[in-house]
Amino acid sequence: MSPHESHPQSAVHSHAHGHGPATPVSRHLRKVIAAVLIPFAAAVAVGLVVLWPGGAPSHKPSGVGFDQPTERARVIKVAEVNCADVHAEQQPQPPSPTGQPPTGGASKGKPCQQATIKVTTGENAGRTFQTVVTPDALRHYTTGQEVVVAYSPKAPKDLQYSVSDVDRSLPMWVLAGIFALAVVIVGRLRGVLALVALAASFVVLTLFILPAILQGSNPLLVAVIGGSAIMLIALYLCHGLTARTSVAVLGTLASLLLIGLLGSVFINWALLTGNTDDTTGLVHGLYPDIEIRGLLLAGIIIGSLGVLDDVTVTQTAAVWELKEADQKAGWRKLYGAAMRIGRDHIASVVNTLVLAYAGAALPLLLLFSIAQSSVSTVATSEVVAEEIIRTLVGSIGLVAAVPLTTLLAALVVSADRKGPGGPGSDGGTGPGQGSGAGAGAGISDGAPVVTAEARPGRRGRRGKRRKR
């Protein structure tokens, strides 16, 4: 058997197994992709080193909201007492719009609860204090319940501790375990890698992005570098170090840059300050060097990153699979077919993003739904306009990611299959010779793509020679 006959057989064999992992591309194309991504990855690494904060900066605790020491505690006793005896008054209920009596009247006359709380952590572990719960309170306590208490060292001794929240550690860990188990059962090795990537993303977010912003670094620059690091880790870890993944990385990067540009333009044009709630105001009060407007833009970029990964990976995989199904398809045909898939993806993803933001801002939307103002006034108020701009800028980036990534993938996969001998060819045959079919002679004969046996491939080639 001549060398020209042995080469196509191995190509057919490798092609037959290409329906799992992505088919390897030619060495030349890998060099081109590496020439683009290696400098980008190096720049991200340099940015991480230069801007690495080394932990959140210290500050003088204000004792307000989240900025106060907390400890663990347990409810050791709950007793019913007369509200008047403990000087506890129920909050007056506003009259209903229809003139009906307040709905809280049913709790009038009911006894109050007096809970005894024991501190279980900290320097004052073992100390007990009491708190009173009125009948109309939303939260009641039971004996043995774990709670979180806030500590105010400057307050009188009897008032230094107060219940700030309940301890939800157990249900949260159980839910996280169920999530991880479901991902591993369904995704198997890919699921395990996805969980590792999720942990790495959390590390970058908590050890780099948040402390760097608190240190006074530019929030936009920090978000771009941190988001790029998360993107590189997650995509390559979950989908492999392949050209297909690299195309998804390039598509995600281009869309992130578009989101950053549009967000910067419209945040400045709409004169948004980013200081629309008590939490933001508290952060700005504790760290005056933080650029709140840049923090808003950074949130838009990071919030869009996860959905962008899904869009770009899906579109790239669609183009690769379409090329595997039709080796003769040019980039225009691949682009058109993949865009038909992408249009359905656009519709579902945009709806998902809008509903996600609406769900997060649902209490705010409820307040504005009863406001005595016009729809345009409510929509253009800063607190609502911020959510609208956040949603629309992110949606534009997602929509743009589909054609950008699809076009890039179609061009790459088509360019890789051009030329004599196909990918990995040794260049020893021309387009008109027997091995010119490159990735599989059986494809040009109409044989199934999944043909993996070398012997049928030889019979097909001999048959073609007899026909000549």
Side-chain angles (χ1 to χ4, degrees):
M1 184 179 296
S2 66
H4 295 298
E5 290 178 340
S6 62
H7 179 74
Q9 293 165 13
S10 61
V12 171
H13 183 79
S14 63
H15 171 74
H17 294 274
H19 296 277
T23 304
V25 299
S26 62
R27 180 179 300 178
H28 173 71
L29 188 56
R30 290 200 301 267
K31 290 181 178 179
V32 173
I33 296 175
V36 176
L37 286 180
I38 289 179
F40 167 68
V44 171
V46 171
L48 288 173
V49 173
V50 173
L51 296 179
W52 191 264
S58 59
H59 69 280
K60 185 178 181 180
S62 65
V64 179
F66 290 103
D67 189 41
Q68 55 185 161
T70 58
E71 302 291 348
R72 302 291 177 177
R74 182 182 299 110
V75 180
I76 60 175
K77 182 181 178 181
V78 177
E80 291 187 355
V81 295
N82 190 306
C83 294
D85 294 340
V86 292
H87 308 288
E89 297 181 359
Q90 301 182 34
Q91 296 294 328
Q93 299 290 329
S96 64
T98 59
Q100 298 295 327
T103 57
S107 62
K108 187 175 182 180
K110 291 185 177 181
C112 291
Q113 285 185 339
Q114 187 176 53
T116 303
I117 313 294
K118 181 180 180 180
V119 181
T120 56
T121 61
E123 59 182 9
N124 294 320
R127 181 190 294 186
T128 61
F129 67 96
Q130 293 180 332
T131 185
V132 176
V133 183
T134 58
D136 56 353
L138 296 178
R139 181 184 297 155
H140 294 264
Y141 304 112
T142 58
T143 303
Q145 183 178 7
E146 301 290 335
V147 294
V148 179
V149 295
Y151 177 56
S152 302
K154 295 182 179 180
K157 186 175 181 179
D158 294 340
L159 303 176
Q160 286 182 337
Y161 285 97
S162 61
V163 179
S164 61
D165 208 343
V166 297
D167 187 1
R168 302 181 180 89
S169 301
L170 181 59
M172 298 292 286
W173 280 111
V174 170
L175 182 59
I178 295 173
F179 163 73
L181 184 62
V183 171
V184 172
I185 290 176
V186 177
R188 299 183 180 179
L189 179 59
R190 288 290 180 90
V192 174
L193 293 176
L195 293 177
V196 175
L198 178 62
S201 301
F202 184 76
V203 169
V204 174
L205 180 64
T206 56
L207 298 185
F208 173 72
I209 295 179
L210 299 180
I213 292 176
L214 291 176
Q215 291 282 9
S217 299
N218 186 289
L220 176 58
L221 182 61
V222 171
V224 170
I225 294 176
S228 299
I230 291 174
M231 173 186 66
L232 291 172
I233 294 172
L235 288 181
Y236 282 118
L237 188 60
C238 294
H239 304 285
L241 194 64
T242 64
R244 189 166 76 178
T245 306
S246 299
V247 171
V249 169
L250 292 174
T252 305
L253 176 61
S255 302
L256 280 179
L257 293 177
L258 177 62
I259 290 175
L261 177 62
L262 288 176
S264 178
V265 169
F266 282 95
I267 287 175
N268 291 326
W269 192 3
L271 301 178
L272 297 181
T273 63
N275 191 4
T276 56
D277 54 29
D278 295 337
T279 302
T280 307
L282 176 60
V283 171
H284 187 56
L286 296 174
Y287 299 95
D289 294 335
I290 292 180
E291 185 184 350
I292 299 298
R293 186 177 295 181
L295 190 62
L296 171 61
L297 182 56
I300 295 176
I301 293 175
I302 295 175
S304 303
L305 181 60
V307 189
L308 271 178
D309 288 350
D310 173 56
V311 171
T312 55
V313 168
T314 301
Q315 288 304 115
T316 305
V319 172
W320 244 260
E321 293 301 324
L322 288 169
K323 185 64 176 181
E324 291 294 325
D326 185 2
Q327 292 286 335
K328 296 181 180 179
W331 72 268
R332 288 185 177 85
K333 184 176 181 180
L334 291 173
Y335 178 79
M339 278 303 297
R340 287 192 289 272
I341 301 173
R343 290 186 185 98
D344 290 335
H345 205 180
I346 287 174
S348 61
V349 166
V350 169
N351 193 44
T352 299
L353 190 64
V354 171
L355 292 180
Y357 283 129
L362 193 58
L364 176 65
L365 297 178
L366 289 175
L367 289 177
F368 277 100
S369 67
I370 60 176
Q372 301 296 320
S373 302
S374 63
V375 175
S376 61
T377 302
V378 171
T380 56
S381 62
E382 180 170 3
V383 64
V384 176
E386 179 179 305
E387 297 300 327
I388 293 176
I389 290 178
R390 187 198 309 270
T391 302
L392 296 182
V393 167
S395 299
I396 292 172
L398 293 175
V399 171
V402 173
L404 283 175
T405 308
T406 304
L407 178 61
L408 183 60
L411 292 174
V412 168
V413 77
S414 298
D416 187 53
R417 299 308 194 267
K418 291 180 180 179
S425 173
D426 56 6
T429 58
Q433 296 179 356
S435 61
I443 296 173
S444 61
D445 294 338
V449 175
V450 296
T451 301
E453 298 294 335
R455 187 170 299 173
R458 288 200 299 270
R459 288 199 296 267
R461 291 178 54 78
R462 289 170 184 167
K464 289 177 68 176
R465 288 176 179 172
R466 286 194 294 269
K467 291 178 182 179
R468 293 178 190 173

